[in-house]
């Protein structure tokens, strides 16, 4: 299982579609213009014994071109990675001949970023058959955003900057500016997503501790953060008094205190966040049916199950919601 900083760095592109315009600009690519973003199945397995799974796979449908964007988070040099990247590009080009596969690697340190840019050559040393040259975003080309106006104008890039420069000596200033920009935003849903991705990406690092202190200082109130803090309390209590019981209690406390009693939207958001945090995959159909549910008791049962089960099938068993995820790549 990937760790949360790794997960957040590539999943920022899933949750913050506005990040694409900034990423294309930083990479020197033509602006994608107005585009629709669809999250695709990350599983590229073609023959059962060989499993290939990308970190994030997105379809970016622009006015005149459709891209299949592979986003890989790389934390260190890996001599075998080029072979996997070559497979990803070849597989998608063959499966979707009218769409353009593009490989983007995101890194948190400059040495890894410089290595990831390649070129990687596959074939005869004197005349390789394949050259792989990934696009790379890392500390050298992602700006350090310490200006409140710039952060407010491009919240997705400000979040990505904080994740990319989490070890930078200026991280305190970066996070102060990001917190202020979130506080002044008039889009509560965007604020919640940005703040939660930042918390997940910084995790238990010194920067993560600083971010939690900014939260505790009351700069802004976010349902996701409140629920996350209470989940941690539940986990700790579970270790002391019985892991599963403590976790369920902490989660229920987060559901009631963090989201407000009787608010279906808040309850559903907390349930989806819990599924994501525990690696429980929901198909689009399952997510839609859950979102349409108006039975408070049923949502609560799903919530408690999600604290202990491993799959969506177990969580939704016997409740009239499709149990098998749709694994079709779209």
């Amino acid at each position: 299982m990937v760790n949360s900083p790794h997960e957040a760095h590539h999943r920022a592109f899933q949750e913050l579609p506005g990040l694409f315009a900034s990423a294309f600009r930083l990479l020197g690519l033509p602006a994608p213009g107005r585009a629709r973003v669809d999250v695709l199945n990350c599983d590229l397995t073609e023959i059962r014994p060989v499993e290939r799974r990308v970190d994030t796979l997105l379809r970016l449908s622009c006015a005149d071109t459709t891209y299949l964007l592979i986003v890989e988070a790389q934390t260190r040099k890996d001599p075998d990675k080029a072979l996997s990247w070559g497979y990803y590009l070849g597989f998608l080009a063959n499966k979707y001949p009218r769409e353009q596969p593009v490989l983007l690697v995101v890194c948190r340190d400059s040495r890894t970023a410089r290595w990831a840019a390649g070129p990687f050559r596959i074939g005869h040393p004197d005349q390789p058959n394949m050259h792989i040259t990934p696009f790379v975003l890392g500390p050298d080309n992602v700006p350090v955003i310490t200006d409140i106006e710039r952060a407010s104008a491009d919240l997705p890039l400000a979040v990505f900057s904080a994740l990319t420069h989490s070890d930078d000596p200026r991280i305190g200033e970066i996070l102060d500016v990001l917190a202020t920009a979130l506080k002044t935003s008039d889009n509560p849903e965007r604020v919640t997503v940005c703040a939660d991705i930042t918390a997940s990406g910084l995790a238990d690092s010194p920067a993560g501790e600083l971010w939690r202190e900014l939260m505790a200082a009351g700069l802004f109130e976010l349902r996701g953060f409140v629920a996350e803090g209470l989940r941690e309390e539940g986990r700790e209590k579970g270790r002391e008094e019985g892991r599963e019981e403590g976790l369920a209690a902490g989660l229920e406390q987060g559901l009631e205190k963090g989201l407000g009693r009787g608010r279906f939207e808040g309850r559903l958001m907390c349930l989806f966040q819990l599924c994501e945090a525990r690696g429980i995959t929901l198909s689009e159909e399952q997510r839609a049916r859950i979102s349409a549910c108006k039975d408070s008791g049923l949502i609560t049962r799903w919530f408690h199950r999600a604290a202990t089960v491993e799959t969506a099938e177990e969580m939704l068993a016997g409740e009239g919601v499709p149990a098998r995820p749709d694994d079709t790549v779209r």
Side-chain angles (χ1 to χ4, degrees), residues 125-206:
D126 295 336
Q127 190 173 334
N129 298 103
M130 182 182 293
H131 294 251
I132 301 172
T133 54
F135 292 107
V136 178
L137 289 177
D140 294 338
N141 61 347
V142 174
V144 173
I145 298 182
T146 55
D147 178 79
I148 182 61
E149 293 185 2
R150 187 176 187 185
S152 298
D154 195 342
L155 280 175
L157 182 59
V159 171
F160 194 74
S161 175
L163 300 182
T164 303
H165 297 285
S166 58
D167 294 328
D168 191 285
R170 296 164 289 181
I171 188 60
E173 187 177 359
I174 295 170
L175 294 180
D176 280 339
V177 167
L178 175 58
T180 303
L182 292 178
K183 180 182 178 182
T184 57
S185 172
D186 58 0
N187 187 334
E189 292 184 3
R190 171 63 61 86
V191 168
T192 298
V193 171
C194 288
D196 281 346
I197 288 177
T198 303
S200 177
L202 299 178
D204 295 327
S205 67

Side-chain angles (χ1 to χ4, degrees), residues 22-316:
S22 298
F24 274 52
R25 184 177 66 252
L26 294 173
L27 295 168
L29 298 174
R34 190 174 184 83
R36 189 185 72 192
V37 179
D38 298 307
V39 180
L40 303 183
N41 193 320
C42 299
D43 192 346
L44 303 186
T45 304
E46 186 174 23
I47 301 175
R48 183 174 298 275
V50 180
E51 181 177 341
R52 304 286 187 180
R53 188 177 296 273
V54 301
D55 286 342
T56 285
L57 178 61
L58 304 170
R59 176 180 281 121
L60 187 61
S61 302
C62 305
D64 55 358
T65 307
T66 299
Y67 299 101
L68 296 174
L69 186 63
I70 306 164
V71 186
E72 288 273 286
Q74 197 67 26
T75 57
R76 58 180 176 81
K77 296 181 181 181
D78 184 350
D80 298 327
K81 202 65 179 182
L83 297 176
S84 296
W85 290 339
Y87 175 89
Y88 301 159
L89 291 167
F91 177 90
L92 292 172
N94 182 69
K95 188 173 180 66
Y96 302 98
R98 292 186 175 85
E99 303 179 15
Q100 305 300 319
V102 176
L103 173 62
L104 171 62
V105 182
V106 293
C107 305
R108 296 187 187 229
D109 70 273
S110 296
R111 291 183 61 185
T112 302
R114 287 191 292 268
W115 164 82
F120 301 97
R121 299 176 174 87
I122 299 176
H124 192 283
D126 295 336
Q127 190 173 334
N129 298 103
M130 182 182 293
H131 294 251
I132 301 172
T133 54
F135 292 107
V136 178
L137 289 177
D140 294 338
N141 61 347
V142 174
V144 173
I145 298 182
T146 55
D147 178 79
I148 182 61
E149 293 185 2
R150 187 176 187 185
S152 298
D154 195 342
L155 280 175
L157 182 59
V159 171
F160 194 74
S161 175
L163 300 182
T164 303
H165 297 285
S166 58
D167 294 328
D168 191 285
R170 296 164 289 181
I171 188 60
E173 187 177 359
I174 295 170
L175 294 180
D176 280 339
V177 167
L178 175 58
T180 303
L182 292 178
K183 180 182 178 182
T184 57
S185 172
D186 58 0
N187 187 334
E189 292 184 3
R190 171 63 61 86
V191 168
T192 298
V193 171
C194 288
D196 281 346
I197 288 177
T198 303
S200 177
L202 299 178
D204 295 327
S205 67
E209 180 61 31
L210 176 58
W211 187 246
R212 287 190 289 274
E213 290 177 2
L214 288 172
M215 278 298 305
L219 289 178
F220 43 86
E221 294 182 4
L222 298 169
R223 291 173 295 180
F225 270 127
V226 172
E228 178 63 26
L230 291 168
R231 282 200 292 269
E232 289 302 322
E233 293 178 11
R235 293 190 185 100
E236 183 61 30
K237 182 178 179 181
R239 295 187 189 100
E240 296 173 356
E241 300 179 1
R243 183 178 183 281
E244 303 303 339
E245 293 80 2
L247 178 59
L251 290 169
E252 180 64 21
Q253 189 180 13
L255 181 66
E256 296 297 341
K257 292 186 178 180
L259 303 178
R261 299 175 186 274
R263 294 181 57 188
F264 281 101
E265 296 83 0
R267 289 170 176 261
L268 290 171
M269 177 177 289
C270 193
L271 174 59
F272 289 142
Q273 287 179 340
L274 175 59
C275 289
E276 180 178 338
R278 300 203 64 246
I280 298 174
T281 302
L282 296 171
S283 69
E284 292 181 7
E285 186 177 5
Q286 288 169 335
R287 183 175 288 269
R289 290 288 298 276
I290 292 172
S291 298
C293 177
K294 299 301 180 183
D295 185 339
S296 176
L298 181 55
I299 293 174
T300 299
R301 287 199 298 276
W302 287 336
F303 192 84
H304 283 289
R305 289 180 190 173
T308 59
V309 301
E310 299 299 327
T311 66
E313 289 88 338
E314 293 175 282
M315 183 182 80
L316 302 174

